[in-house]
Amino acid sequence: MSKIPVSVCIIAKDEQMHIGECLKRLQPYGFEIVVTDTGSTDHTKQIASQYADKVIDFSWNDNFSTARNFCADHASNRYILAIDCDEYMEKCDTHVLTKQLRTYPDMAGVLCVESFVRCSDGRISRVKDHVPRLYDKKKFAYRGVIHEQILSRRGNISHKNFLLPMKIIHHGYALSSEQMRLKQERNLHLLYHVLEMEGESAYLCFQIGQSELVLENCAKAITFYERGISLVTDHRPLYVHNMVEGLAKAYVMTGREKDALALMERHAPLCDSARFVFYHANVLMDNHEPLKALVKYVKATVMPDADMLGSELLYCYQHIIDLYHLFGEDDLADVFRRKYRECQEKLGIDSE
């Protein structure tokens, strides 16, 4: 039994490049570590055996939820923290975590994940996201063939979550264009199979749209984003915000800037997050409305969740600086230049 009542559950296949570092980062915190191997042909299992409490085999069946639930079934603790091999624990306050488990027994824990992402221009950007990852396996389980979600065993997504006192760094998105293409094609194979077997849902349409957009299949992305949005009944899940942003981006990529702006303004009252406001500002710039864009950029920087923009917050500040210069407000530009430098230091990014 682990020092605290949490088992870290990891599914793995051919992850010898990441799994050793992933597990070494976890060991100091006293979690039970359970690794489920889904058919590795490299040294993943051997490396995992050096650090994990349990390494078990699972016959891969093209269903991520089945694999994750299988792994959780073999954990000694009822509280499960699900992470991936390319995610490294940077910090965790186990004392606070233990108190949270007692205080929020019916909620899922949300993890702050900071991902390194390779952008289309080749630069590496840092993006933060909040993802439900810790749950009581007697009350929750994973559902979904791919891009799986934690659902209560009563069948509903839990919107009542608590923020975990830990930080994870995700290295798996800093891929080459060819690696990303292969990843998205694999995802689409599974997603379209689910669509054929189960029919449309807002979340499934969103995920298909995301993958098609990465592959620059804009027409297909637009079709599925529009279908997904038409099925939305609740704007609280963050994927809904991301779906609107994705559709706006696809509109812009196909020369439909006015449609993108109309979309963002229609959904703005229901999607009031810093990320959404930042993308709204970008669409205003695409529509040659710099003054309105400036107001949105400034608003994004002072919202409670502004830090969730990650390194995109730097680009927000840069737009503000450039726009204040454009309007002849050099003193205000200097104020935000200082904020830009403070943000650089906070993110650990060296100035050029």
Side-chain angles (χ1 to χ4, degrees), residues 31-252:
F31 302 116
E32 178 188 47
I33 301 174
V34 183
V35 175
T36 294
D37 187 84
T38 64
S40 294
T41 57
D42 63 3
H43 297 292
T44 295
K45 288 179 66 176
Q46 294 92 318
I47 297 170
S49 297
Q50 299 176 33
Y51 305 101
D53 298 283
K54 299 176 184 177
V55 179
I56 52 180
D57 292 313
F58 176 80
S59 297
W60 181 242
N61 63 348
D62 287 339
N63 189 311
F64 284 88
S65 286
T66 303
R68 289 202 186 275
N69 292 334
F70 176 87
C71 191
D73 287 343
H74 287 77
S76 303
N77 298 301
R78 62 187 292 176
Y79 290 103
I80 305 299
L81 174 62
I83 70 169
D84 293 329
C85 296
D86 55 8
E87 296 176 338
Y88 302 163
M89 182 77 73
E90 186 168 271
K91 64 179 181 180
C92 177
D93 189 327
T94 56
H95 296 293
V96 173
L97 177 60
T98 302
K99 292 180 182 178
Q100 288 179 330
L101 297 178
R102 294 194 298 265
T103 305
Y104 309 112
D106 298 320
M107 299 184 190
V110 170
L111 188 62
C112 178
V113 179
E114 183 172 332
S115 298
F116 291 95
V117 179
R118 188 180 301 277
C119 302
S120 57
D121 60 5
R123 65 183 173 85
I124 300 295
S125 178
R126 301 186 191 188
V127 178
K128 287 185 180 180
D129 199 6
H130 279 170
V131 188
R133 289 291 189 86
L134 187 141
Y135 61 98
D136 180 344
K137 67 180 180 181
K138 293 187 177 182
K139 299 176 182 178
F140 297 90
Y142 271 100
R143 296 289 183 270
V145 169
I146 186 173
H147 299 303
E148 59 278 13
Q149 296 176 289
I150 295 173
L151 301 183
S152 75
R153 292 192 177 272
R154 293 174 295 187
N156 299 317
I157 299 174
S158 174
H159 294 300
K160 293 182 178 180
N161 302 314
F162 61 93
L163 184 63
L164 293 167
M166 57 182 72
K167 180 181 178 181
I168 290 283
I169 304 296
H170 178 214
H171 296 265
Y173 284 159
L175 303 174
S176 68
S177 57
E178 177 63 13
Q179 289 172 323
M180 182 58 76
R181 182 185 67 81
L182 292 173
K183 179 183 179 70
Q184 297 304 329
E185 288 178 349
R186 180 208 66 184
N187 289 352
L188 282 170
H189 173 76
L190 294 174
L191 289 166
Y192 278 119
H193 178 70
V194 175
L195 180 65
E196 181 181 351
M197 299 299 294
E198 301 180 5
E200 292 181 347
S201 70
Y203 185 70
L204 179 59
C205 289
F206 160 66
Q207 292 295 354
I208 294 175
Q210 291 288 85
S211 289
E212 293 289 12
L213 187 64
V214 171
L215 295 174
E216 299 185 3
N217 297 328
C218 291
K220 288 184 178 180
I222 288 170
T223 295
F224 281 98
Y225 283 142
E226 289 178 339
R227 288 186 194 177
I229 290 172
S230 72
L231 296 171
V232 168
T233 58
D234 183 351
H235 278 70
R236 285 177 296 176
L238 286 178
Y239 84 83
V240 176
H241 301 204
N242 295 339
M243 179 158 52
V244 176
E245 294 159 14
L247 178 56
K249 182 177 180 180
Y251 281 157
V252 170

